């Protein structure tokens, strides 16, 4: 058996963490032969609740769980971790956009960037889940200048999973038969879920998704808006934001980053290098492939006029969020 790796989850007493911790500790993220030592960070008033979570983790009797450190101190939580799930932040309520959380949440990511910079390994892989996830990831990276920018990512995997699931249901195939759907841009209602390069296995034959669906209007309208608004639909129904599916997506994102995405493209918010005419230095979701712990943007895709408009709109929103976040972080 390998030596345990240290992994931190922030917001560890919250609802996403409640599903995520089991997935990490049971081997679904780092593999069935990799023990994990979990660092659990939450704020001081939540330490009592967190104690209950620690009890439950013990009661799961998980062979891969080598130890647990509950703490309210970021510098203790981030010490020597190889992977950081930054979940802890306020969730939105019905009627809000995710960017309405910016002023409340972005300072958390400034402070955590500073703590990561001081005590984390320089090869730590950081996944920001707390909203607005893309801009929080950017700020976290900015305040951790000693850690490479490519180690900071934001979660759009939930959007990808939603899109894949919608397409599979429309075509009438199992969800794993659909691949290479892309989420471009912000994890917000301006994101562009793009099925134009997706492929589907129907009865053993590979087909382009647009040909299998044969309904361009659906792919440009209902499909796009359903995925863009799915988070709000879950909030309207549950009166709380998505948690089970968010935890699953966080596991998928980190697993693929560590263990590789194989022959599938996955969507990740990464610091933009300007690919596809997107603004540089915002955290923009691109299609990537991952291997040996590194991601690479899929290049050479055709951008139609429709796609150009969608990419520009979400890029513009990210540039605006970035400016707002930098202003908030000044004080
Ligand atoms: N990117 C995505 O796809 C996605 C999906 C779902 C939810 N989210 C976001 O994830 C975040 C968490 O959602 P949740 O439902 O688990 O919320 P929650 O309110 O149930 O839990 C959040 C936890 O974070 C803790 N917290 C607050 N400030 C903290 C800090 N400075 N350090 C450490 N912990 C802190 C809180 O005490 C709480 O326990 C929200 O911002 C939500 O909008 C993102
Ligand atoms: O929609 C939200 O506010 C929560 C999360 O970002 C989601 O996509 O479900």
């Amino acid at each position: 058996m390998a030596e345990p790796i240290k992994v931190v989850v922030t917001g560890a007493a919250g609802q996403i963490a409640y599903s995520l911790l089991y997935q990490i500790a049971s081997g679904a993220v780092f593999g069935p032969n990799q023990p994990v030592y979990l660092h659990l960070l939450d704020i001081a008033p939540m330490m009592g609740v967190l104690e209950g979570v620690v009890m439950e983790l013990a009661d799961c009797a998980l062979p891969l769980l080598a130890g647990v450190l509950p703490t309210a101190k970021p510098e203790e939580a981030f010490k020597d971790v190889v992977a950081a799930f930054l979940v802890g932040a306020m969730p939105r309520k019905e009627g809000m956009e995710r960017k309405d959380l910016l002023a409340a949440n972005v300072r958390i990511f400034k402070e955590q960037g500073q703590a990561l910079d001081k005590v984390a390994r320089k090869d730590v892989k950081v996944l920001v889940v707390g909203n607005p996830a893309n801009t929080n990831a950017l700020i976290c990276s900015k305040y951790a200048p000693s850690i490479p920018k490519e180690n900071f990512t934001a979660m759009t995997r939930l959007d990808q999973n939603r899109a894949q699931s919608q397409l599979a249901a429309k075509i009438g195939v199992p969800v794993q038969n659909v691949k290479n759907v892309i989420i471009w841009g912000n994890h917000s209602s301006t994101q562009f879920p793009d099925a134009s390069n997706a492929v589907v296995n129907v009865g053993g034959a590979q087909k382009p998704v647009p040909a299998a669906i044969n309904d361009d209007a659906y792919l440009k309208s209902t499909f796009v808006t359903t995925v863009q608004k799915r988070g709000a639909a879950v909030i309207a129904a549950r009166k709380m934001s998505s948690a089970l599916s968010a935890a699953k997506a966080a596991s998928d994102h980190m697993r693929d980053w560590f263990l590789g995405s194989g022959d599938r493209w996955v969507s990740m918010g990464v610091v933009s290098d300007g690919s596809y005419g997107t603004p540089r230095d915002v955290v923009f979701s691109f299609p990537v492939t991952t291997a040996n712990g590194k991601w690479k943007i899929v290049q050479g895709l055709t951008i139609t006029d429709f796609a150009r408009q969608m990419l520009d709109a979400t890029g513009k929103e990210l540039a605006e969020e970035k400016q707002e976040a930098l202003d908030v972080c000044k004080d």
Side-chain angles (χ1 to χ4, degrees):
M1 195 64 96
E3 282 297 301
I5 51 171
K6 292 184 177 168
V7 175
V8 65
V9 177
T10 74
Q15 53 151 2
I16 294 176
Y18 198 68
S19 289
L20 177 58
L21 293 174
Y22 175 76
Q23 296 186 41
I24 299 170
S26 65
V29 181
F30 300 102
N33 299 313
Q34 178 58 66
V36 290
Y37 196 109
L38 279 176
H39 288 191
L40 308 183
L41 179 70
D42 212 295
I43 52 175
M46 295 302 281
M47 287 301 108
V49 175
L50 193 56
E51 203 43 54
V53 175
V54 174
M55 286 184 219
E56 286 208 65
L57 279 168
D59 297 348
C60 287
L62 292 162
L64 290 174
L65 186 56
V68 182
L69 170 74
T71 178
K73 296 189 184 122
E75 288 186 19
E76 217 168 74
F78 294 146
K79 183 104 180 82
D80 297 333
V81 294
V82 301
F85 293 83
L86 303 189
V87 180
M90 189 196 288
R92 68 172 164 155
K93 303 266 174 348
E94 212 168 344
M96 293 170 81
E97 285 294 330
R98 297 181 187 96
K99 64 184 167 198
D100 298 336
L101 298 166
L102 195 147
N105 285 344
V106 81
R107 284 190 189 86
I108 297 175
F109 293 85
K110 173 181 176 181
E111 181 196 291
Q112 293 186 352
Q114 288 165 332
L116 281 161
D117 199 51
K118 266 198 204 157
V119 301
R121 289 166 52 130
K122 300 305 169 198
D123 61 354
V124 61
K125 289 181 169 51
V126 180
L127 166 59
V128 174
V129 175
N131 278 320
N134 299 53
T135 299
N136 287 338
L138 184 77
I139 293 300
C140 198
S141 161
K142 177 179 157 56
Y143 285 95
S146 68
I147 299 172
K149 279 183 185 173
E150 56 267 27
N151 295 22
F152 291 84
T153 62
M155 189 164 94
T156 52
R157 185 58 173 267
L158 177 53
D159 309 292
Q160 179 195 314
N161 289 348
R162 288 166 171 163
Q164 204 173 314
S165 173
Q166 291 293 322
L167 295 172
K170 180 87 176 165
I171 302 168
V173 294
V175 73
Q176 70 274 15
N177 288 23
V178 175
K179 65 177 190 179
N180 299 354
V181 58
I182 301 168
I183 305 299
W184 299 96
N186 201 0
H187 174 62
S188 77
S189 51
T190 67
Q191 67 176 268
F192 175 34
D194 175 10
S196 60
N197 293 284
V199 289
V200 57
N201 182 322
V202 187
Q206 290 274 93
K207 265 189 162 189
V209 162
I213 290 188
N214 194 25
D215 184 349
D216 205 35
Y218 164 80
L219 289 176
K220 282 186 174 158
S221 58
T222 311
F223 166 66
V224 170
T225 51
T226 301
V227 178
Q228 286 175 332
K229 294 180 181 162
R230 187 68 160 190
V234 171
I235 293 171
R238 253 169 55 84
K239 310 298 169 211
M240 282 190 295
S241 69
S242 62
L244 185 72
S245 56
K248 161 65 167 54
S251 298
D252 288 346
H253 177 121
M254 197 63 94
R255 182 200 60 227
D256 287 348
W257 198 0
F258 265 80
L259 304 180
S261 57
D263 66 349
R264 288 172 175 256
W265 304 346
V266 293
S267 291
M268 286 170 58
V270 299
V271 178
S272 171
D273 61 354
S275 287
Y276 295 102
T278 59
R280 285 173 189 274
D281 294 324
V282 298
V283 170
F284 196 98
S285 178
F286 289 102
V288 305
T289 52
T290 56
N292 304 318
K294 306 258 182 232
W295 53 262
K296 210 163 96 189
I297 297 174
V298 175
Q299 296 291 350
L301 301 176
T302 302
I303 302 296
T304 61
D305 290 348
F306 174 70
R308 181 77 269 146
Q309 279 174 25
M310 299 297 283
L311 262 65
D312 289 350
T314 195
K316 180 169 176 284
E317 182 182 52
L318 281 166
E320 286 164 6
E321 278 188 22
K322 173 181 173 178
Q323 197 46 56
E324 192 184 334
L326 292 174
D327 289 347
V328 170
C329 288
K330 263 193 224 140
D331 12 287

